[in-house]
Amino acid sequence: MTRDEAAEAVHTIMEDHKFGKSGDEIVIEEFLEGPEVSVLSFTDGNTVVPMVSSMDHKRALDGDQGLNTGGMGTIAPNPYYTEEIAQRCMQEIFLPTMKAMNSEGRRFKGCLYFGLMLTKDGPKVIEYNCRFGDPETQVVLPLLDTDLLTVMQAVTEERLSEIEVSWKKAFAACIVIASGGYPEHYEKGYEISLPQGDHQIYVAGAALKDGKLVTSGGRVLGVTETGNTLKEAIDKAYETAKQVKFKDMHMRSDIGQRALKAYAGEDR
Ligand code: GLY
């Protein structure tokens, strides 16, 4: 957040070698501020079809406090990603990205991930990934109405412009359940007890050991539920997540709260 903090970080990375050789080279970027939006897209190298937008929650603790993680939970659609911003992103970011990749001979077919920040100067790219995002996919694909295999075939056969990709008029929330101590030191090997009934629970840092599901990583499970309102999706996801049990488990209790305020017009 400050120049001193940035200088200290460079010192730790380049002189104390906190990340070993990976820290021998660094990139200094403009500091961007604003709501973050993840937009995954299908592309066959010619056409880009954005998926429903989503919002990740990167920090380990409630109120966006604590260390950065791989993502502690997501909601979709993202309230900040209005139709107007979507059109701007298509013209200023998505299509130019495809054009630039093609002109460099790097034609790409698959899922292209745009990590965006909506700054006061407009949408800017934070990161690209040539894969689905985690935990964004856990809230995006449950809202896909079109058969995924049909879309994937259209992608590989370069027929994406010929099919319609449609989305459910619904909301989704995913609560990540992590090992206590993540993203720093945490223990592994704790037995996991799952809720009864039919739920969408995605396994990340867990493994089968002697026929039992045990923790094996930092982010252990992602619990997704959908609903007709965002609040319904969030409430259901927490209800299911709270039925998961393992020693020292940790989850944020405010996933989706900022989005709820934004939908209510209280955080714009
Ligand atoms: N959620 C960010 C990523 O998948 O890299």
Side-chain angles (χ1 to χ4, degrees):
M1 298 303 289
T2 64
R3 202 183 172 88
D4 285 348
E5 227 176 54
E8 179 63 30
V10 172
H11 183 88
T12 330
I13 294 168
M14 301 200 79
E15 287 175 12
D16 298 344
H17 305 287
K18 185 174 177 186
F19 303 120
K21 283 207 158 310
S22 320
D24 286 353
E25 242 180 82
I26 59 166
V27 177
I28 297 181
E29 296 182 334
E30 183 186 356
F31 181 85
L32 301 175
E33 269 185 299
E36 280 186 54
V37 183
S38 306
V39 181
L40 321 185
S41 69
F42 295 112
T43 176
D44 61 3
N46 302 308
T47 306
V48 190
V49 177
M51 301 183 215
V52 81
S53 60
S54 57
M55 182 193 278
D56 196 1
H57 297 70
K58 295 274 186 211
R59 301 292 189 118
L61 307 176
D62 283 6
D64 293 329
Q65 301 296 308
L67 294 173
N68 244 339
T69 70
M72 294 300 292
T74 36
I75 61 95
N78 186 318
Y80 296 99
Y81 196 68
T82 59
E83 190 49 46
E84 186 195 336
I85 290 178
Q87 281 178 19
R88 214 175 142 181
C89 289
M90 180 58 87
Q91 295 310 321
E92 295 175 17
I93 297 172
F94 305 163
L95 292 175
T97 299
M98 295 307 300
K99 206 171 148 192
M101 287 171 82
N102 285 337
S103 70
E104 285 181 11
R106 300 176 204 276
R107 189 180 178 80
F108 179 76
K109 295 192 215 177
C111 175
L112 192 55
Y113 167 123
F114 299 91
L116 307 171
M117 190 164 263
L118 307 180
T119 73
K120 59 178 174 25
D121 301 323
K124 306 245 179 158
V125 178
I126 302 275
E127 62 172 330
Y128 289 107
N129 289 308
C130 43
R131 57 165 171 78
F132 281 94
D134 168 23
E136 286 91 341
T137 311
Q138 291 91 316
V139 287
V140 169
L141 289 188
L143 298 180
L144 179 64
D145 220 5
T146 311
D147 175 55
L148 180 59
L149 184 60
T150 304
V151 183
M152 287 178 161
Q153 282 171 332
V155 163
T156 58
E157 292 162 12
E158 298 181 22
R159 293 186 286 100
L160 198 51
S161 63
E162 294 169 22
I163 67 161
E164 198 184 327
V165 181
S166 55
W167 299 91
K168 294 177 187 148
K169 298 256 172 293
F171 294 83
C174 173
I175 313 301
V176 168
I177 308 185
S179 299
Y182 170 79
E184 293 188 294
H185 176 76
Y186 53 85
E187 299 294 330
K188 300 177 191 171
Y190 294 138
E191 190 175 341
I192 303 168
S193 147
L194 293 174
Q196 299 291 315
D198 200 9
H199 298 287
Q200 289 186 63
I201 300 181
Y202 298 89
V203 174
L208 274 179
K209 197 173 168 209
D210 303 327
K212 289 181 177 155
L213 191 64
V214 297
T215 63
S216 66
R219 290 184 301 150
V220 178
L221 302 170
V223 176
T224 297
E225 296 281 358
T226 57
N228 290 325
T229 63
L230 180 59
K231 184 166 184 324
E232 185 191 333
I234 295 169
D235 289 350
K236 278 164 66 183
Y238 271 111
E239 199 180 302
T240 307
K242 282 176 187 159
Q243 294 171 53
V244 173
K245 303 277 179 233
F246 62 85
K247 189 164 182 261
D248 293 343
M249 62 182 250
H250 165 69
M251 63 180 128
R252 277 181 60 162
S253 67
D254 64 344
I255 299 301
Q257 292 307 310
R258 184 171 183 195
L260 279 178
K261 281 195 185 141
Y263 275 119
E266 293 164 23
D267 184 21
R268 283 281 169 193

